[in-house]
Structures are given as C-alpha cells and as structure tokens.
Amino acid sequence: MDASPQQISIFFNMDTFSFLAVEFNRKLARTRWKRPSLTTTLLVYLTVTSALVTIACGEQRFVQQPQNVTVKHGESVTLPCKIADRRGAVQWTKDGFGLGTDKDLLGFSRYRMNVDDAAGVYNLHIQPVLVEDDARYQCQVGGAEGERHLKSATATLTVHFPPTDSPDQVYLDTGSPMEATSGSPVRITCEAGLSAPASEIKWYMNGKEGVDGGKVNTTKTPQLNSILVAVKSRLDLTPEKNHHQANISCEVRHKALETPIVRNVVMSVKYPPEPSITVDSAKIQEKDDVMFKCKAEANPPTLRYRWEVNGVAVVGDHTAHYLMPRVDRSSNGAKVACIAANDIGTNRAEHTLSVQYAPRFKTEPEDQDADNGKNLTLTCNVDGNPPPEIVWLHEEGKKVINLGSRMTFTVTSETVGTYHCRAAVTGFPEESRSMRVYMRGAPMVVDTAEQFGMEGDDVKVECVVEGMPRPDRVEWAKGRRPLDTNSSRYTALTEAVRGGLKATLVVRDAEEADFGEYNCTARNKYGTHTGVIFLKRQQSLPLVTTLVAIIGGIVFLVVVVVVIVLFKKKGRTYKDPGLEKNSMRSSDLSSTHDSVLKVETRTATGSDLSPSEEEDYSSHDDWESGDGCGVRRPPLPRDPLRYSAVDYSDTVFPLKDHPNNNTSGGYIKYYSRDYDPPPPPPLSFNRNSIYTTSQGGGAALNNVDPRYSAAYGNPYLRVPSRTGTQGLYGSSGGLDTVTGGVPQSPQPSLFVTGASQPHIMNNNNNNNTLNNTSAIYGQNRNNLRLSANLNNQYITMPQGDGRNSVHGTHI
C-alpha cells in the first residue's frame, strides 16, 4: 500500500529509530544468538514489521527510558522517562512497588514526578537521596483502548554512604605508644563505622603498605534491613626489633571519600640485644694483640657482657671490649663469642679468628724409594695462613714441575734424585725442604778410599753403602778370610745414613798384621756388592817434635805480645829530642792543636795522677819496707788500664864522670830515679811563661811540659803540684790549699832528710831506687782529689842557681 507523507515522516522519525532499536535489543537479549538462523531471521523480521505497523498506526511508545545511576548520600537525582503518543497513565515503581500516578507521589515526600504532557516527559526526581533510596526503578505506561501496557528498562539507583571521620566511627583499639615485648604476639584492631557500600581497610608500616610479619583478618557486619555495613580489620603481629618505634597505621578507604581516613599507633618494643663483633685489625699476625669489640642494640639499653673462646668462658669482669694478647697460630680458627644480655633476654655473636702465620712443615718429608716403573707420591704437609702456595722442583733445576702439596710420578732412572718442596705465604719467609727418591736395586759400596790407623790403638775401618732398600747385612773379610765380628778382636757397627748406611769395623789393639786389605760386602734382596778398603799404618810423631812445636808456638805468642806492648808504650812516650835544647815561646805552650809541647791533662776521677778511692793507702799493713833505711813506702798504684809491667821495670844506667859530682865517682844521676836536687829556693811561678822574671837573664822556670819532665816516665812522680806556701817535697807546716787552708796534721816523712832540707834520694847509695812517690801520698786520703787551684799541667821543680843542679829531662 502507499504510505502517506505523514506516515513516511513518522517512519523516519529519530524517536522511531530509537524505539526500534530498543525493541530489537530486547528481542536479541531474549534470544541465544550464536549464528544467523531461519528462526532468528524471521523473529527480527516480525519485530521490525510490528514496530513499523505500530508507528504507522500511532501507538504509545518510550522515547527515553531511565538508566543506572550512582548518587552520594544527601545529593539529588532525576530518573528520565519520555513517552510518545501516550494514552495510558504513567507511574514509577521502586523494586516493583508502584509509587502512584500523582505528580506529588503521596507518601513519598522526597519523591516527585516532573511531568510535561506536551513533550511527553515523566521524570522521577528524588531529593535528598537517602540510603533507603538505593533500589531498582522502572517507568510504566498503562494500557488504553486498543493500546497495550508499556514498561521501561529497569534502572538501578546506587546510593553511596561513606563512613564518618570521627573517633567513635573510625578508630584503633589501642593507644599510642603501644608497649610490646619482642616475641610476644599482639593484635591491633581497626574498625570503620557503617557505610554503603562496605569500606576498605589497609595497613601501613612507616608509610609503606603492609606490616612485616603481620597477618590481617577483615570482617564485614551488615546492618539489619539496611545496605549499611560495618568493617573491622585485625592485625596479628609478633613484634621484633625492627618494629621498635615503628608507625603502624590503619587507612580506611571508601568510594565516596576523596581522602582516606587514617588512624595510627607508634610501637615501643622491648627486645633482647642482638650483638655483633668487630676486630680492630683487618690483618692479624702471630704475636699481635687482638682487641675485640662487641656492639649490641637493645631495649632497655642496659647490658651485661660475657666472653667465650671455643666455648670456654673467659674468667673475669668484662665489658664490651676483650683483649686477646699475643695470639699465635694455635689461635687461628678460634671461635670468639660475645654474650650480651638485658632484662628481656640473651643473645650471642661469634667471630672466627684468622691469624696469619708463616708456613711450617707439620711433618718433615722423608726419602722415598720404589721399584722401577712404579708410581710414587711425594707429600709436603705444610701449614700456613693464608694457605701456602707449594711448588716442586727437581734436582738443581729452576723449572716448576708441579703445584700443590702432593706430586705423583713414575720412578725411572730420569725421575730419581732430589726433589725440592717450597712453601710460600705472602708476607713471610719461604720454607723449603728436600727429599730424595731412590730406585730400588742392589747396594753399592761407594767409599773405598784409603784409611789409616795407629798400631796399638783401636782402629776403625768404615764402609759407606748406597742403595735402597738398605742392606740386610754387611760382611767383613780380611783379604779373603771372613772375620768373626762377634769376637773380642772385632766389632761390627752399622748406622743408617741418607740413601744407605755406614758400616764400621772396629779392630781392638791393632797389630801389624791387622793392616792391609779389607773386603766390605753388602747384601739385600736385589743383590750383593763388595768393596775393597785399604787400611794403612799411620806413623806417630816423636815426642820431641811435638814438644818443640808446642814450645815454639808459645814463644811466638809471647814475642807477639811483647811487640804489641812495646809498640803501644813507644807511641805513648814519643818526644822530639831537639826540643830539649831549644827555648820555647809562651805562645807555643798555649797551643792545644799544633804544638809539640801539648799538655797531657789528667782529671781528678779516673786520672793517672790520683789513686783509686777503693785503694786505701793509709792502712799500716799496706806499707812495705823500704830500702833498709827505716823508711816505709806505700805499694805501687794499681792502674791496669794505663801501665804495664814494662812501665815499672828498673833501668840501670852506666856511670858517667862529672866535675860537680864528688860523691858518686863521676856518676851523674839521670832521671827522677836517681836525681838528687839541691835545696829549693822560694818558688817563683808564672803559668804564662817558662822563663823567670825575677832572675837575671830570664832563667827558665821549672814549668816543664810533662812529656819532658822526670815525672812523666815514672808513675810514682805523676802527682800534681800544689801552690801556696807548702813545698812540693813535703809539708812545710803551712796551710793546705786543697783543704781550704786548714792546717793538716804532720805526716811521716817518706824521705831521708839531710841537715835542713828534705831530699828525695839517699845519696849514700847510688844504686838506691826512688823512695816511692811524692809526699802527697802521705797526706790524708781526702787530699788526693785535686781542686780547681791545682796546676795539673806542669810539675814545678826546685830552682837553684843553675850551677850545681842537673835537670833530668830524658825518659
């Protein structure tokens, strides 16, 4: 049939297309669509045809239907419903319950139907939306004459009700800080109030999601006849050290909340110490002192310490430090433990001590032997820390043939010999051992050199045998006559040596017939070998020759000693004879470097001029008898470091004629031993010149250089002079300058006195020796020490007129 323009317009109306689409989708939803079939095609065709007929006839239909919507509690919402060509009454249903056809919807004060009949709008408006509004809504059109009943699509209104951020709605069941003990389980509960839908609870530790070692259990409790749900989350935890001062937080999330609600608690965990040991040195060697330090963290922090070494407690009160003195290699690998405790518990930490030490052979390598072609293993059992590096060398070669503590090879004629095992540890000297490898075979007598013995003595004949295994026995024969080594005449001895043995035949009281040829025969399971040894008689040296050699050696030794002593004495007493006749300037005497008249000074301690304090010359028993003139003299001063026996020898001088000497028969007394000076005049002393100023002609003073004085060569006269009124040769009764001017008691004279002047010598006997030392040895021992006023550079001699006096200036 032909459609009118109005019908065509209606057919192509957009609302019509929407209606057709809705109907088509509804049909498809009710049909299991797998693949196009005849039934499905027919159904679609009928649907479209029915819709076109309805449109053409002007039946009521939905132009807009409600859809699912979500609204937050307290907001408003509008559910759309638009109908074309409506003829029946319109109403909304909630969960299948009709709300009524009035605009105001009596009984539902918050509900209102917004109606525009001209536009066909029948929307449902709800304000405010409450939890009970959460339901399924549908727009329905009642049937009329010739019209069918219409139902729109069901729309779900979802109402979100978030939890309230208040202490009584969201909370933790424990306060902060939360006291806990390590190892004791605890439970923390976070509860969120009623919400729709149910809230989500998450746990955090120090801002990181999740709690170490914690287990979470969440339960939801819905409210009766309501969509509201209460949520409770439990955290079960066994606290440890890492939970101390940790911030445990509970975070409540909801779809209607822009920001989560957070509750937190700080844990205070009491835990036992967890010690750790540190050593003050990264490299420990033998004989080092090792300091261990125990570091532990605990709550409460008050700790008690105890130390153990290899499980044995160290006795004493201990702190966090432990000193192990002078460790050695036996301490290597020792287990040093620190046990720390507090009121909560006890824990321990161990440290394995590593002591570095030089390589050392645990067992000394031994020589080895094996059959030809057999395998042999050599071992170097070396201990060291770090483990030593071991290399093997063969014979004198420098090439390394093996590494490691063991070496295996086949024994041949080329592989036998000496093997060197070297062990090295960085920072220590290398250790080396040698061992020999022998190939088993018959023995070999190698030492057949001539040997000697003396008739009448016990003579030994030695036989050296090489070969491995060592000979089972060694047989001796004199020529071809076997010897009975069990008899009293012969004794056979054997001694194991490296690579074999040494056999010795002892012949008792050797006779002439015992000298000659001996056969040494060695046997083992591999064979026999015989060596010939010639024993010759040795001639003894005559007794006279021996004595002459001994005496000659002694004489030679004595001569050498005398020469050395004389050489030293000559070097000590050398002088220039020409200086005796020449006058010297005072400037020459003052020189300390180049002058030949250098002064030999002696100090008060250890000096040749002062006797030892340990020698008491004041003892009466120490004085020996003199020259028979009733004068006793002291013993000679003992100074082994300065003088020898040669220095004290008595020299005999020949007689010489002199016109001024009437009593000696022309003999002039030289030297201080037989010098008899005239009575001394008053002394005139000037240290700065050797010439007098008071005597005419500038006569020389007796300030003689000690090397040219009579006292220099004679140890008895080597006594410092004293200034003042006291004379050199005896006490004059004046004040003693050494003792500060205190008069000294008179001492026994050591000299034979003349008429009025003291004399050093007794002129009645020209052969008499000097009467000991000067008079100073007769003084008190306290005067033997020199004072600063003594002149220890010169010996002042008595001055005469120069005519009858003779100066002894030669030594």
Side-chain angles (χ1 to χ4, degrees):
M1 70 178 181
D2 296 333
S4 65
Q6 184 179 3
Q7 292 175 341
I8 296 174
S9 175
I10 295 174
F11 181 81
F12 289 100
N13 190 278
M14 293 302 297
D15 292 339
T16 302
F17 280 111
S18 298
F19 173 75
L20 292 176
V22 170
E23 290 295 327
F24 181 74
N25 289 334
R26 186 179 296 175
K27 298 294 183 180
L28 289 180
R30 295 175 181 177
T31 304
R32 285 187 166 181
W33 181 268
K34 295 183 179 179
R35 61 180 179 176
S37 63
L38 180 61
T39 304
T40 304
T41 304
L42 181 60
L43 178 62
V44 172
Y45 174 76
L46 292 177
T47 301
V48 173
T49 302
S50 176
L52 291 176
V53 170
T54 301
I55 294 173
C57 296
E59 293 182 358
Q60 59 183 7
R61 61 191 179 279
F62 285 107
V63 178
Q64 185 180 6
Q65 301 184 48
Q67 297 178 355
N68 297 336
V69 63
T70 300
V71 181
K72 184 178 179 181
H73 176 78
E75 296 179 348
S76 63
V77 66
T78 299
L79 300 176
C81 180
K82 189 174 183 180
I83 306 171
D85 296 330
R86 182 191 66 80
R87 289 177 176 83
V90 178
Q91 75 165 353
W92 285 86
T93 63
K94 175 183 178 182
D95 290 334
F97 179 78
L99 299 178
T101 58
D102 294 338
K103 293 182 180 180
D104 294 335
L105 300 180
L106 298 177
F108 299 93
S109 60
R110 296 179 293 106
Y111 289 47
R112 179 180 180 80
M113 187 167 54
N114 296 327
V115 179
D116 186 354
D117 290 332
V121 175
Y122 302 91
N123 297 335
L124 177 64
H125 181 75
I126 304 174
Q127 185 181 10
V129 177
L130 300 180
V131 173
E132 56 265 26
D133 298 332
D134 188 283
R136 295 170 59 87
Y137 293 86
Q138 190 179 54
C139 179
Q140 297 180 356
V141 181
E145 183 179 356
E147 299 289 337
R148 62 184 182 88
H149 182 77
L150 298 179
K151 292 182 179 181
S152 69
T154 302
T156 301
L157 175 62
T158 302
V159 179
H160 284 177
F161 184 83
T164 305
D165 187 3
S166 62
D168 60 336
Q169 293 295 319
V170 179
Y171 59 89
L172 293 172
D173 64 347
T174 182
S176 182
M178 177 183 177
E179 299 290 338
T181 302
S182 177
S184 298
V186 296
R187 171 176 287 182
I188 306 175
T189 301
C190 178
E191 187 170 352
L194 295 173
S195 63
S199 301
E200 181 182 10
I201 298 178
K202 290 185 176 294
W203 292 91
Y204 290 82
M205 175 176 173
N206 295 328
K208 182 179 178 181
E209 185 176 355
V211 178
D212 295 341
K215 294 182 180 181
V216 178
N217 182 23
T218 303
T219 60
K220 299 179 181 180
T221 305
Q223 189 180 32
L224 185 64
N225 300 324
S226 174
I227 64 172
L228 297 178
V229 178
V231 181
K232 184 180 295 185
S233 181
R234 298 178 181 86
L235 173 65
D236 294 323
L237 176 68
T238 301
E240 297 178 355
K241 173 187 174 183
N242 61 319
H243 296 124
H244 180 58
Q245 298 299 323
N247 187 357
I248 307 297
S249 60
C250 162
E251 187 175 286
V252 178
R253 297 182 178 183
H254 194 272
K255 295 179 180 180
L257 292 176
E258 296 181 358
T259 304
I261 301 174
V262 179
R263 300 290 184 264
N264 54 47
V265 61
V266 176
M267 297 191 68
S268 177
V269 181
K270 295 181 179 180
Y271 56 92
E274 295 182 1
S276 62
I277 299 178
T278 58
V279 186
D280 62 348
S281 177
K283 184 178 180 181
I284 302 172
Q285 296 185 355
E286 285 189 291
K287 309 307 179 184
D288 286 350
D289 294 339
V290 183
M291 176 66 73
F292 296 92
K293 182 178 180 180
C294 186
K295 183 179 180 181
E297 295 182 2
N299 184 32
T302 303
L303 300 178
R304 301 177 297 277
Y305 294 94
R306 185 163 52 88
W307 292 88
E308 291 181 357
V309 178
N310 290 330
V312 179
V314 178
V315 180
D317 297 332
H318 301 291
T319 63
H321 297 80
Y322 169 58
L323 177 64
M324 182 179 288
R326 298 182 64 80
V327 297
D328 54 19
R329 63 184 63 204
S330 63
S331 301
N332 184 50
K335 302 290 185 180
V336 179
C338 168
I339 296 92
N342 64 359
D343 295 337
I344 305 303
T346 302
N347 278 321
R348 61 186 290 133
E350 283 190 352
H351 177 83
T352 301
L353 183 60
S354 177
V355 180
Q356 296 186 1
Y357 51 88
R360 181 183 64 181
F361 282 81
K362 293 183 179 179
T363 57
E364 291 296 325
E366 296 181 353
D367 296 343
Q368 302 289 333
D369 60 273
D371 293 330
N372 186 16
K374 297 295 184 180
N375 290 335
L376 183 65
T377 299
L378 301 181
T379 302
C380 262
N381 190 4
V382 185
D383 178 33
N385 188 35
E389 179 183 356
I390 301 176
V391 298
W392 293 85
L393 306 176
H394 184 220
E395 293 293 337
E396 300 301 327
K398 297 182 180 180
K399 182 180 179 181
V400 176
I401 61 174
N402 191 63
L403 297 176
S405 60
R406 298 169 65 88
M407 184 180 70
T408 302
F409 59 94
T410 302
V411 176
T412 63
S413 58
E414 290 77 16
T415 58
V416 297
T418 303
Y419 285 84
H420 307 280
C421 167
R422 295 182 179 178
V425 173
T426 303
F428 296 97
E430 180 185 89
E431 283 290 326
S432 178
R433 294 292 187 274
S434 298
M435 62 197 78
R436 289 190 61 85
V437 174
Y438 301 94
M439 186 167 59
R440 294 175 181 174
M444 177 70 68
V445 178
V446 295
D447 191 358
T448 57
E450 294 181 348
Q451 301 181 22
F452 297 89
M454 295 183 63
E455 186 177 350
D457 292 345
D458 292 344
V459 178
K460 295 182 179 180
V461 182
E462 296 181 348
C463 174
V464 178
V465 182
E466 289 185 354
M468 298 299 289
R470 291 185 175 87
D472 300 328
R473 65 181 185 276
V474 177
E475 300 173 352
W476 290 92
K478 179 66 170 65
R480 295 188 178 184
R481 179 174 58 88
L483 298 179
D484 183 7
T485 55
N486 293 325
S487 64
S488 60
R489 286 293 314 279
Y490 304 101
T491 301
L493 306 175
T494 57
E495 177 186 359
V497 296
R498 189 171 188 179
L501 59 79
K502 180 175 72 173
T504 304
L505 176 66
V506 180
V507 182
R508 307 291 182 185
D509 299 330
E511 300 174 354
E512 182 178 359
D514 293 326
F515 296 93
E517 179 182 300
Y518 284 85
N519 292 333
C520 174
T521 302
R523 302 176 184 273
N524 65 10
K525 65 179 182 178
Y526 291 91
T528 302
H529 186 262
T530 300
V532 179
I533 302 173
F534 292 92
L535 178 62
K536 293 186 176 182
R537 184 168 51 194
Q538 181 180 5
Q539 300 294 332
S540 61
L541 292 176
L543 180 60
V544 176
T545 305
T546 304
L547 293 177
V548 169
I550 295 174
I551 295 174
I554 295 175
V555 171
F556 176 76
L557 181 61
V558 172
V559 170
V560 171
V561 173
V562 171
V563 170
I564 293 175
V565 172
L566 292 178
F567 178 77
K568 289 184 177 180
K569 177 181 177 182
K570 182 178 181 181
R572 189 168 57 242
T573 59
Y574 174 76
K575 69 179 183 62
D576 187 358
L579 295 177
E580 181 182 2
K581 300 178 181 180
N582 299 328
S583 63
M584 305 300 295
R585 297 190 305 271
S586 62
S587 62
D588 295 331
L589 292 175
S590 63
S591 175
T592 61
H593 297 286
D594 301 325
S595 176
V596 296
L597 297 178
K598 293 180 181 179
V599 177
E600 182 180 2
T601 60
R602 294 292 184 265
T603 61
T605 60
S607 172
D608 295 336
L609 300 178
S610 62
S612 172
E613 294 180 357
E614 298 176 0
E615 297 172 356
D616 189 3
Y617 295 110
S618 62
S619 174
H620 177 76
D621 296 337
D622 291 339
W623 293 87
E624 299 176 355
S625 60
D627 52 1
C629 300
V631 178
R632 301 180 65 84
R633 58 187 179 184
L636 299 180
R638 301 181 182 93
D639 191 353
L641 299 179
R642 185 65 180 88
Y643 298 101
S644 63
V646 179
D647 296 325
Y648 300 118
S649 61
D650 295 337
T651 305
V652 180
F653 301 96
L655 298 176
K656 292 186 178 180
D657 294 334
H658 194 279
N660 296 330
N661 190 349
N662 298 326
T663 62
S664 61
Y667 176 74
I668 298 177
K669 303 178 181 63
Y670 284 96
Y671 301 95
S672 59
R673 292 181 56 86
D674 49 6
Y675 184 155
D676 188 10
L683 297 178
S684 177
F685 182 70
N686 182 7
R687 289 186 58 132
N688 296 327
S689 176
I690 62 174
Y691 299 96
T692 62
T693 57
S694 60
Q695 296 179 4
L701 287 172
N702 221 0
N703 299 337
V704 183
D705 187 279
R707 291 177 297 176
Y708 306 105
S709 67
Y712 185 81
N714 192 335
Y716 302 113
L717 295 181
R718 296 187 61 148
V719 180
S721 62
R722 298 193 298 177
T723 60
T725 58
Q726 185 175 1
L728 174 66
Y729 299 98
S731 175
S732 59
L735 296 177
D736 190 343
T737 60
V738 177
T739 59
V742 180
Q744 303 294 318
S745 59
Q747 302 294 332
S749 176
L750 302 180
F751 305 97
V752 178
T753 58
S756 62
Q757 300 292 340
H759 293 274
I760 296 178
M761 300 298 298
N762 182 1
N763 293 334
N764 295 330
N765 190 351
N766 293 331
N767 295 328
N768 286 344
T769 59
L770 177 67
N771 284 324
N772 299 298
T773 183
S774 62
I776 192 169
Y777 284 100
Q779 303 293 335
N780 189 296
R781 283 185 57 83
N782 294 330
N783 297 332
L784 295 179
R785 295 293 180 184
L786 302 179
S787 72
N789 297 327
L790 295 182
N791 178 12
N792 58 0
Q793 294 184 350
Y794 304 97
I795 297 179
T796 304
M797 302 300 296
Q799 300 295 325
D801 56 3
R803 294 190 302 268
N804 297 326
S805 63
V806 178
H807 298 280
T809 60
H810 290 74
I811 297 176

